[in-house]
Amino acid sequence: MHPTVTINNLNHAFGKGNLRRTVLSDINLALYPGEIVLLTGPSGSGKTTLLTLMGALRSVQDGSLQILDQELRGAKKRRLVKLRNQIGFIFQSHNLLDCLTAAENVEMALKLHKLSQRERRSRSHAMLSAVGLGEHSHKHPDQLSGGQKQRVAIARALVAEPKIVLADEPTASLDSHSGRDVVNLIQQLAHQQHCTVLLVTHDNRILDIAERNLHIEDGKLCA
Ligand code: ADP
Ligand code: MG
């Protein structure tokens, strides 16, 4: 099977001169369609840095990182933006817009897709129903619980059927029950859509969903 993400000899550092610090060293990795990969590691080990590099949210400094057959290193801004729009992101804090309803937040993810307003609306509603929020689509984030907000964020990440979903500690702010729901949903939808999911966590309550577990320490991946 052809990987959706291929990383070769990737290094990343922050800071300049004496303050320069390597945070990722010699990362090699391939992720395939339909797999859910957990990335665990202590705080500060480089998980978010790796995820933001894979998400084309940060420039690649050294090494090769290909997503969906496109090299990110040296890629022009326009290409990065285009790639970013093909990735579903789920962050620790849901990052929903408070001034929009749940449905409108989900529809945002379809903005760049050539769809009619009606089609956008119906897809958003279908996705909110899939995450169990069909009855809440008209509500604003401040009327929803933490777990519900995170489910809206999942709906938003998946509504455009991305080939890659990157989730950075999506359960960190949730109680164990909602955390488990959220992860089960990501898993179920990912399988339906046959996308690659990379899920960063140090929530050991959810480790059992991993089909593959990667561990990172001091910027190095350990098998
Ligand atoms: P994790 O997500 O595993 O907690 P991060 O990838 O956020 O780790 O951070 C890895 C290291 O890089 C940490 O030491 C952190 O302080 C540092 N770091 C992260 N982002 C920046 C930045 N924008 N500028 C400087 N240092 C950073
Ligand atoms: Mg982090």
Side-chain angles (χ1 to χ4, degrees):
M1 211 173 357
H2 195 63
T4 37
V5 178
T6 310
I7 302 179
N8 285 302
N9 310 111
L10 182 76
N11 297 294
H12 199 84
F14 287 114
K16 287 208 163 74
N18 285 340
L19 295 174
R20 188 177 166 84
R21 247 193 88 226
T22 298
V23 296
L24 293 174
S25 349
D26 198 26
I27 305 288
N28 293 284
L29 180 62
L31 303 179
Y32 295 89
E35 67 171 352
I36 300 195
V37 179
L38 285 198
L39 175 63
T40 58
S43 182
S45 56
K47 305 183 297 296
T48 297
T49 306
L50 182 57
L51 187 127
T52 51
L53 282 164
M54 286 170 57
L57 295 166
R58 178 186 290 297
S59 304
V60 174
Q61 297 170 343
D62 187 39
S64 163
L65 199 168
Q66 288 179 27
I67 61 171
L68 307 171
D69 288 325
Q70 306 229 33
E71 176 61 55
L72 295 192
R73 183 165 179 209
K76 293 269 187 304
K77 197 155 180 205
R78 256 187 63 200
R79 172 123 61 94
L80 294 181
V81 171
K82 212 167 160 197
L83 278 168
R84 224 177 273 159
N85 288 326
Q86 299 177 59
I87 297 172
F89 293 98
I90 305 168
F91 295 103
Q92 174 174 346
S93 51
H94 47 81
N95 291 327
L96 300 177
L97 293 171
D98 284 322
C99 54
L100 300 181
T101 64
E104 289 165 343
N105 267 287
V106 176
E107 274 175 45
M108 286 280 286
L110 295 172
K111 261 230 140 81
L112 298 162
H113 296 256
K114 291 194 178 71
L115 297 170
S116 68
Q117 177 60 34
R118 199 169 148 186
E119 177 74 1
R120 272 201 282 270
R121 186 145 298 162
S122 83
R123 284 206 200 180
S124 302
H125 278 284
M127 202 66 215
L128 281 167
S129 300
V131 300
L133 292 176
E135 308 288 291
H136 300 273
S137 59
H138 61 286
K139 291 188 179 165
H140 285 258
D142 62 3
Q143 299 169 285
L144 299 171
S145 71
Q148 287 173 330
K149 281 188 271 211
Q150 203 54 308
R151 282 191 271 151
V152 177
I154 292 170
R156 183 186 51 186
L158 290 162
V159 70
E161 306 195 349
K163 295 272 176 288
I164 302 173
V165 172
L166 301 174
D168 197 356
E169 313 219 18
T171 64
S173 61
L174 304 177
D175 62 62
S176 64
H177 184 73
S178 327
R180 164 67 50 183
D181 279 354
V182 155
V183 165
N184 285 343
L185 260 174
I186 295 174
Q187 183 174 40
Q188 178 198 326
L189 295 170
H191 279 159
Q192 275 168 21
Q193 299 185 2
H194 203 62
C195 62
T196 303
V197 179
L198 181 72
L199 203 158
V200 167
T201 188
H202 52 215
D203 183 350
N204 49 27
R205 301 171 302 196
I206 60 170
L207 294 183
D208 55 306
I209 71 139
E211 289 152 18
R212 197 171 144 203
N213 203 336
L214 303 170
H215 191 71
I216 187 166
E217 299 244 359
D218 289 332
K220 294 189 181 73
L221 274 185
C222 341

